[in-house]
Amino acid sequence: EKLAESEASRGDELKINEEIRGAVAHNSCILDSLYTRPDQSLEASKVLKQLRAVVKARANSTAGAIGDVDPNSSRRFMLTANLIERISKALEARLLNSFTQIYSAGGQYDFSENAGHGCIDWKELRHLAQALMHFEYGRRIQKKFVHMVTISRFPELFQAKKPSDIDDDDEFDMDATRSLLSGLFHRVSDVCTAEFELIAHVFGPAPDGDPSGASEVLSEDMPLQVARALLQRVISDKQNGLQSRINGLLASIDRRGDFHAGAAKLDTFVVIHEKAAGLFHLLKEASKKMVISSGRFKSVNSDGQSIIATSNAEQALVQFLTAQEAQLSGSHRRGYLNLELRLLNHECYSPLDQLGFVLLKGEEKRTYDRPRVLESSGTETIIEEFHAPTLPLCVDSLKQKGFKEILSGILKQSVLRQPLIRATDSLARARLMFGSDSDDTARVITAIYNQMCSFYGDAFLYPLIESLGEMLSQRSPAKEPQLPFDENVPPHDLGVENFFWVSMERIHSAIKAFDRELWAENRAESGRVWDILKNCDDVQSIQMARERRASFFVELERKGNEAIARALETLSTHIRWILVTGGESMLATGGNRILHHITGQSGGPYAVPAGSSLDAPNSPAVKSLCYCLRGQFVHIQAALTPESLNTFWTALSIRLYDILVSRILAHYYVSTVGAVILGRDVDALRGVALLAGRNHSHWDNLRELVTLYMTPPDALKAMLVGRDGDINSGKGLFAAMGRDQSLVFMSRRVDYRYKTTQGFKKSGWAMELLNDLGVNDPTDGNVNIALFSAENQKSS
């Protein structure tokens, strides 16, 4: 107080900064040596802290009673308070300067008691930190320490050229980027690990028996505060922190604005995540060591409070690091997911567009999509999913291109495989990016799988299969076939080109590859959808993925069945064209005209007059048809699975049977000679039918029924009901094929009726046979030919 009043009365300001800084000799100093001698810094700091407390208390007590205070006393108080403040600032500045000089001098971090030359003087730093803690609770020393570490230890962050300042015209080098990021993360890890240990020894509480009294000012929380401040600055500084540098790098990639830049950014996301995960793992380990090194185990009391405090401190710092990690990676995850889905969508559709196939604007489907917002566990990170638009192939455009261009374009193996390769890459990246959180991983993997099902189904395979079916004409050629076909040339395709079956085979292979490469059920450690979701143990996600997979295959099967059914219809139409149009034409046989002249019946190809040659093994129509069907079978067998082949060929066998039988029962008459040809034809067609399928008993039945045309009239009764002639004996064709069917087939004999002036009448033997059997003739009325189709035949 005297010194302050003396200074005021002289009007000559004391050289406080110079004296405390040591610029004035000690014997010439006006201030007490407590403030000017460095070895008294801790005591001086304590005294000044107490004086500032007195000043603050006096100011608070007199604030409400200014009128009652002696003006002279108030003046002395203000002068003294000002002097105390100036001395405090000067002393703190000297301490900070000394701390800076020692830290800047550097040295090896050796914290043993006998650390030698070349090691950092951590004990003096600790002494200075103890003194500085008496000034604003050590706020300035904390800021100063963090600033010194960042400037001196992280030139790559706080002094180097930012990635965002890089010329956009520079070619992006992924290897250089990886090296840059790796260097940054390793630098942060190495420096922080070393500084954590220094912080523990400089700012940590004193061990038991320490006479310095450091525990009074260096609290147990101080190392945590300093470490947190350092990490906050290094990672999250808006201008130069690790987060800012990474954002600048990503922004420099974005400014290139092309597809390759997007792919490079994806790779950069993965590198960032990979390096960040390693960094924070090392930082957490270093933080645990720092807590132990700060002396928390040196004063364990009986109730274990110090152990609890240590555990809490360690947990608090680990939680802080976890929050920093989430902040660093949260926005990157969000950006990664959107970019991943967008680029995957682009890479799927781009080959189709480049090959010149027209894409339509489809409706956005979200039936199986997860919610648009995903929240990372324990953080506030929000991840919005990109919902890829569906751009289906134009069916009309595909039909115009035809089978050959489709096969050489979008059905090339390389084109079919490319989306699957991209998708598996996406799964691998997503697993790396979100692997630490099983819930987010499951959702992201499900999103990728949904998008691929939508592309491969709605946009690609569904319209492709539909166009293949519609390219098959349902009309037979207008010109009748020139029978028999020349078997020295490739057989007629019966309206279904072999390219159709090749296309279906490639689609089938693509479907199997899609399920094998993406879903891969029961393939442990495959890194595919099923394996990842199973490891995530997310029941809801795996159930949704199963439903999406089931829906994909159900619709695919429906589309495929429609195309196969259309092929069956086309084949049936052309079978009718050969059998009916060709077989009944005058070019096929010349016997019809003679028979028509004799009986008045056109007869068809099997109404062959007696004495005609039987040198030809089959009728021209059946011979040609069998040649064509065998050629078709080769292509169909290569395209369909064994089960599908059996189903299809059985259906074709039924169609073939029904076409032949309907013509026999409604239009043809069969002579004895014609029956031989018909029997040969049935055997030939049966042989083709037996190439595949499960049940062709209808052909065996027809072989039995054809014998009705070869048998003399007087032997028909025994054939129909057995040698005993008993209609109820359960023998003969009546029992095996049915009474009505046997009689209707028998009615197609050329000698069953004859022409009179009053119309057609039954022959005498026919009337006698019917009367003898006691049955009515079903052909006297309208006959429902459908009752005798293959599906209504009894199994032989």
Side-chain angles (χ1 to χ4, degrees), residues 146 226-238 241 320 324 327:
V146 170
V226 178
R228 285 171 62 118
L230 176 61
L231 291 170
Q232 185 77 31
R233 181 78 185 280
V234 171
I235 296 173
S236 303
D237 184 85
K238 293 182 178 180
F320 172 76
Q324 288 291 304
Q327 181 179 354

Side-chain angles (χ1 to χ4, degrees), residues 450-671:
N450 286 341
Q451 182 167 310
M452 284 304 299
C453 286
S454 178
F455 163 75
Y456 227 67
D458 298 324
F460 185 37
L461 293 183
Y462 296 170
L464 179 57
I465 295 173
E466 182 180 347
S467 67
L468 293 178
E470 292 187 7
M471 279 191 277
L472 301 177
S473 175
Q474 298 295 290
R475 296 181 180 180
S476 60
K479 186 179 179 181
E480 58 191 28
Q482 303 297 312
L483 301 179
F485 292 149
D486 184 359
E487 296 189 7
N488 292 319
V489 299
H492 194 282
D493 59 23
L494 301 180
V496 182
E497 296 182 45
N498 68 306
F499 295 121
F500 170 83
W501 299 112
V502 175
S503 299
M504 295 300 292
E505 188 275 330
R506 289 194 185 176
I507 290 173
H508 183 253
S509 298
I511 294 168
K512 291 194 296 184
F514 178 84
D515 202 47
R516 181 179 63 250
E517 295 298 327
L518 292 188
W519 182 254
E521 186 156 356
N522 295 325
R523 282 173 53 195
E525 305 301 325
S526 64
R528 300 302 191 258
V529 174
W530 179 86
D531 177 52
I532 298 173
L533 295 182
K534 184 176 181 294
N535 291 330
C536 290
D537 198 25
D538 189 324
V539 177
Q540 184 182 5
S541 291
I542 199 166
Q543 180 62 29
M544 292 183 67
R546 284 189 184 280
E547 291 176 2
R548 186 65 179 98
R549 177 173 177 261
S551 172
F552 170 79
F553 281 103
V554 166
E555 181 63 16
L556 199 59
E557 184 177 13
R558 187 183 70 82
K559 292 284 187 181
N561 287 341
E562 288 179 353
I564 297 298
R566 193 172 178 92
L568 181 62
E569 289 294 335
T570 301
L571 290 175
S572 300
T573 299
H574 285 72
I575 288 172
R576 188 182 299 277
W577 173 64
I578 293 176
L579 280 182
V580 178
T581 306
E584 297 175 6
S585 68
M586 293 304 296
L587 294 174
T589 175
N592 291 324
R593 185 174 301 170
I594 300 173
L595 183 68
H596 179 69
H597 178 73
I598 298 173
T599 65
Q601 303 172 8
S602 60
Y606 301 110
V608 181
S612 298
S613 173
L614 293 176
D615 293 339
N618 299 109
S619 66
V622 170
K623 182 175 183 292
S624 299
L625 179 59
C626 289
Y627 176 57
C628 295
L629 287 175
R630 289 181 181 276
Q632 273 288 323
F633 180 79
V634 175
H635 303 300
I636 298 172
Q637 185 180 36
L640 302 182
T641 63
E643 182 179 0
S644 297
L645 174 64
N646 286 334
T647 301
F648 180 84
W649 205 251
T650 300
L652 185 65
S653 171
I654 291 173
R655 295 288 186 94
L656 178 58
Y657 176 91
D658 290 343
I659 291 171
L660 178 61
V661 168
S662 65
R663 296 306 294 181
I664 291 174
L665 298 184
H667 301 282
Y668 295 169
Y669 291 95
V670 184
S671 66

Side-chain angles (χ1 to χ4, degrees), residues 104-161:
S104 299
Q108 183 180 352
Y109 282 12
D110 183 354
F111 301 104
S112 63
E113 292 296 328
N114 300 318
H117 180 73
C119 298
I120 193 168
D121 191 356
W122 65 273
K123 294 182 180 179
E124 182 60 24
L125 289 177
R126 180 182 180 81
H127 177 76
L128 293 169
Q130 293 170 6
L132 285 165
M133 287 300 162
H134 291 285
F135 298 94
E136 294 188 15
Y137 305 100
R139 290 190 184 93
R140 288 193 181 89
I141 181 57
Q142 292 184 44
K143 292 179 64 176
K144 186 67 174 178
F145 177 77
V146 170
H147 178 72
M148 287 190 299
V149 173
T150 54
I151 294 299
S152 62
R153 301 290 192 265
F154 294 108
E156 303 93 334
L157 292 175
F158 292 84
Q159 297 179 23
K161 185 180 180 181

